[in-house]
């Protein structure tokens, strides 16, 4: 997969992960990660949140739902 941008997100889950199953029987989990970025506005620093919708598939999806909950610190 040459040419793709790879990023690492460190933040907290905004809600409990939800697991779903496709018609073919494959599991996937969806969750949202909130990340605060500090920016300077004038003489003050403010936190600006960014939200990232994520999906995990297969065994990782099952482990995500079993081990993580709203507010959990994650690295994606």
């Amino acid at each position: 997969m040459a040419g793709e941008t790879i990023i690492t997100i460190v933040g907290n889950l905004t809600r409990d992960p939800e697991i779903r199953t496709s018609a073919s029987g494959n599991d996937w989990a969806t969750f949202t990660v909130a990340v605060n970025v500090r920016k300077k506005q004038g003489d003050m620093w403010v936190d600006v949140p960014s939200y990232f919708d994520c999906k995990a598939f297969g065994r990782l999806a099952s482990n995500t739902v079993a081990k993580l909950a709203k507010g959990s610190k994650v690295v994606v």
Side-chain angles (χ1 to χ4, degrees), residues 15-66:
R15 58 186 165 87
D16 290 339
E18 297 176 16
I19 195 152
R20 296 186 169 104
T21 304
S22 67
S24 61
N26 297 321
D27 290 337
W28 80 88
T30 58
F31 54 95
T32 302
V33 179
V35 178
N36 283 326
V37 178
R38 300 208 90 194
K39 293 188 178 183
K40 191 166 187 176
Q41 290 183 349
D43 291 338
M44 298 185 63
W45 288 91
V46 295
D47 289 329
V48 179
S50 295
Y51 300 95
F52 297 90
D53 292 326
C54 303
K55 288 184 183 178
F57 298 92
R59 213 166 90 201
L60 180 59
S62 301
N63 290 340
T64 299
V65 171

